[in-house]
Every structure is written in structure tokens, then in C-alpha cells.
Amino acid sequence: MTNIPYKIYLEESEMPRQWQNIRAFMKELPDPMLNPATMKPCTAEDLAPVFCDKLIEQELNDIDPYIDIPQPVLDFYHMYRPSPLVRAYNLERELNTPAHIYYKFEGNNTSGSHKLNSAVPQVYYAKEQGITQVTTETGAGQWGTAMAMACGFFKMDLTVYMVKVSAEQKPYRKAIMETYGAKVIPSPSNTTEVGRKILSQYPETGGSLGCAISEAVEKARQNDNCRYVLGSVLNHVTLHQSIIGLETQIALDKYGIQPDMIIGCAGGGSNLAGLITPFICQRLQGKNNIRFIAVEPASCPSLTRGRYAYDFGDTGRTTPLLKMYTLGSGFIPSPNHAGGLRYHGMNPILSKLYHDGYLEARAVEQSKVFAAAQTFIRAEGTLPAPESCHALKVAMDEAIRCRETGEAKTILFGLTGTGYFDLAAYQAFNEGKMTDYIPTDADLQPGFASLPQV
Ligand SMILES: *Cc1c(COP(=O)(O)O)cnc(C)c1O
């Protein structure tokens, strides 16, 4: 057996030149997106006022197994990809486990997360279509920063509606987005009709992703030259994020490594879906027996405690209906939760895979997540984003289980980003001020009551 290095880097020339489309491999497709006005599956025409054409084509494509990555997108990717696959030898030693632990590290770019993988093609396609402005929302700030980077590069106007609590907790996120040229508006705001309505109903609200989406979509609908972009949940985002899994597969194959389980944090589900893409496609063809585990915060448990139902993607109930595990678009997550991963719903592809038993899910409390992060940081040196630490926590739990059973399992997890903008949360943890919030069933009721009748 060859010695496996601490970091497995790929050559630029080894980077995949195509994305992989999970839906072309699914025997049973997720239920289609519905137009809430007609209750019929959304057509490209329905989506055209909101999204740019190429992305709509990708969104509705369940035929092509692979889709070419345009050269200008590859040229941008080359500034920060291929990303390393790291063998966490020091963590293994620290945990005294026979398990082999690997993580795919997506924090090696200034925006600090995997979100840039989809921001770049989304801005590129909008530009190609002659669109001059894009709008979006951001929660913890990574998507907004990724979009600001992509828009700065392709010279596109960007307005970001940033969830108000995050804007207050992370002033430097706003500063970096503005440095790349974006306009940042805390949400809910009085710049949109839906924002004004939410503010009049809930004047004290710290905002939510669902609400910021409503504001960004409204702005896109009002302007012909403007389109909306979304950083997670949708099929085309999943497609772009497949670059994570495809690179991982090439790196693993170089050393003949076979993962026993692949673990990812799940907010809207895009990094996890991207990481598992080539492996789940093989699994769907009966070619492996890997366990796939989604990890979500106990404070926003859409897979483990949500309903599998048609729901709106936003609080303002303006988007198409998606069939997904959801807490209801009326769910407003607790402001005490530190990281992202606060979205009320889950990627429809992952929802379907979970429903059909291909994917497992676990919910973890943030204080335990940060305790795991502390062990990891001291052993491995890297400062991860709190979101990523949800996956890390379960990877460590599995490695500790291996210590007890003596099994040398191969555990792979996605380390989606860096935590430099999350130091207020680390500080709260260090000072013993971090608390956990687990909604009661009664707390979840209003969200479920908000589900549309389909
Ligand atoms: C946005 C984000 C996530 C969660 O989003 P997904 O769509 O579930 O991938 C996870 N980690 C980081 C660092 C993020 O920025």
C-alpha cells in the first residue's frame, strides 16, 4: 500500500471539465417544481422573469448525465481549484481511532466557502445573456461574498439582501462584499413591498433567509435587466457543486481509497449533494454500498423533523413550490444559532434520496459542534466554518465509535469553509456563553401550519 500524503492535490490538468447531473441517474425523479398559480409543473417560460435562461435549462434538465463547464468558468475555477483532499492524520491520532479520516477542503478562496463554485457559473451565464444586474440573499454571508467576487470579476451589478441578524453580527462580511463592489441591504428592509409587509407584521424580527429571498426575487421581477440567483437548494446549484465530489473521486482513485461513509453538513443541501454526486450516482447503479449522512443543526431540523411536502422557497410565498423536507416557509429560526444552515427547506434531490432511504440524517446541537471544532482546530490547525463543523462533529462521533469497535472505517467529510468571519461565535463558545436551542413540537407547529394545501 502506498503511503497516503497529508494532502492529496490534483494537477490543474486533472480537474474535471464537466459537471455531473444526479437526476440523470435517478430511477425515480423528485416531484417537479410547481407553478403556484396553476399548480402545474413549472415551464421554462414561468421561470424566465426570475432566472437566466441557461440556468433554467440546467434546472429542468434530467436527461444529460454530464454537462460541459464553460471555459471562462474553468479559467476562474483555476484561481482556487482543484481544492485539496486532506487526510486528518493528526485528528486520528488525537482521537486514538483506527478510522481513516479525510476531508475535502473548500475554504481555500477569499469568499471562504464552496459557494463560489456556483456563483461563478451563475454570473457567467447571466452575463452571456446580456443581463446587467443580479440580486440575491445571504444568510451567514458566504453566498453574498462569493457572488460579490464573481460579480467583481465579470463586472456585473449586484444587490445582496443580507439577513439582518447576520449583518449585525458580521460587519466585516458587509465590508468585504462592498470591497468587491456589491450593494448590501439588511433584510427585511423597507426597499421592497414584501420587506415592508414583514416589518409591519414582525417589527422586531432579525430576518431569515426565506424573507431575504422574497426581497431579492421581488427586485429581479421588477426589472427586465435583472435576474435573481440562489446559492443552494436548486438543481442547477447542485449540478455546479458536483465539482467537489468529482475532484474527490479522482483524488481517492489515485490512491485506491474507498470511503465507507460520506458526511456533509446540510443547510439548503448544495455542498452535500455536490460532494456525494459521483458516489451516489454509482450507488444508484448498485456499484457501491457507501453510507451518506446529512448533518443539520438541532435548531433547524428540516430533514429529521420536517414534513416531506410541497412548500414555497421563501417566507413571502412568491417562489415556485418545491417538494422537499421542510419546516414550513413560515418557520423563523432562533437568532441564537451561530452559523448558517438556517434554511427552512432542503434540496429536493437530497429530500428524495432521504425519502427513498439512500441518505441518513442527524441533527446536532451547536455547543457540541463547537466542542468538536475545538478538538479539530488544535489537532489539525485549520479554523473551520461553524456550518462545516456539523459534519466534522458526526465524522468525529463515527471515528470514536471505530475506536470502541476496533473497525478501521474510512470516513470522508466535507469541510465547506473557513471560520474567520465566525469568530464572534467562537468567542461566545470560549467564554461559555453559547446556548442551545431545540424547538419543541409546539414551536414547529406554526411553520407546518404555513404549508400550502397541494
Ligand atoms: C452555505 C454554507 C453551507 C450550507 O449550505 P449548503 O447549501 O447546505 O451547502 C455550509 N457550509 C458553508 C461554509 C456555507 O457557506
Side-chain angles (χ1 to χ4, degrees), residues 28-301:
E28 238 182 82
L29 285 172
D31 292 326
M33 191 187 256
L34 299 181
N35 178 336
T38 61
M39 288 299 179
K40 300 231 162 67
C42 275
T43 60
E45 296 78 66
D46 293 338
L47 298 171
V50 176
F51 294 106
C52 79
D53 298 346
K54 195 72 189 179
L55 296 172
I56 294 170
E57 190 185 308
Q58 294 178 349
E59 186 62 30
L60 301 176
N61 185 337
D62 49 31
I63 307 244
D64 295 322
Y66 295 93
I67 291 173
D68 287 344
I69 305 174
Q71 189 60 46
V73 173
L74 282 171
D75 292 341
F76 193 126
Y77 276 177
H78 284 149
M79 290 196 280
Y80 70 101
R81 308 201 68 85
S83 71
L85 179 70
V86 184
R87 172 79 183 268
Y89 281 117
N90 292 317
L91 180 66
E92 290 169 17
R93 227 167 275 138
E94 175 65 30
L95 298 177
N96 190 23
T97 174
H100 297 186
I101 308 174
Y102 294 86
Y103 62 88
K104 177 71 167 167
F105 184 49
E106 290 291 317
N108 258 340
N109 69 75
T110 300
S111 73
S113 82
H114 67 285
K115 291 202 172 67
L116 194 55
N117 301 333
S118 185
V120 176
Q122 293 204 44
V123 176
Y124 168 74
Y125 288 129
K127 177 98 182 174
E128 279 290 289
Q129 196 183 319
I131 303 294
T132 56
Q133 301 174 37
V134 287
T135 65
T136 195
E137 77 294 332
T138 197
Q142 291 98 331
W143 172 242
T145 313
M147 278 300 298
M149 275 180 82
C151 286
F153 183 83
F154 288 110
K155 301 191 169 40
M156 174 83 85
D157 262 19
L158 170 67
T159 305
V160 180
Y161 292 89
M162 183 170 190
V163 177
K164 194 187 277 171
V165 278
S166 302
E168 286 161 4
Q169 283 166 0
K170 300 182 171 186
Y172 293 133
R173 273 286 175 196
K174 184 163 177 282
I176 193 169
M177 287 185 260
E178 288 169 347
T179 303
Y180 281 107
K183 182 173 173 198
V184 181
I185 302 175
S187 164
S189 76
N190 57 19
T191 66
T192 62
E193 206 168 297
V194 62
R196 287 189 291 272
K197 191 169 144 208
I198 293 169
L199 276 176
S200 72
Q201 263 177 302
Y202 309 99
E204 298 302 314
T205 181
S208 69
L209 266 186
C211 164
I213 294 174
S214 303
E215 291 205 273
V217 170
E218 180 179 321
K219 183 171 158 79
R221 281 211 171 104
Q222 278 172 355
N223 186 339
D224 235 20
N225 254 336
C226 182
R227 291 293 184 281
Y228 167 69
V229 292
L230 185 64
S232 185
V233 184
L234 298 179
N235 298 333
H236 63 268
V237 184
T238 303
L239 175 76
H240 305 151
Q241 294 298 355
S242 68
I243 189 84
I244 305 173
L246 292 164
E247 282 182 9
T248 302
Q249 189 181 43
I250 295 169
L252 292 175
D253 285 352
K254 270 193 163 182
Y255 291 91
I257 304 159
Q258 264 293 339
D260 293 298
M261 60 190 96
I262 304 181
I263 302 168
C265 62
S270 70
N271 85 82
L272 174 62
L275 176 65
I276 69 176
T277 291
F279 306 97
I280 195 91
C281 291
Q282 287 182 338
R283 170 72 185 279
L284 289 164
Q285 298 168 313
K287 292 182 186 163
N288 70 38
N289 216 1
I290 299 172
R291 285 174 61 197
F292 302 100
I293 308 174
V295 189
E296 58 187 13
S299 63
C300 190

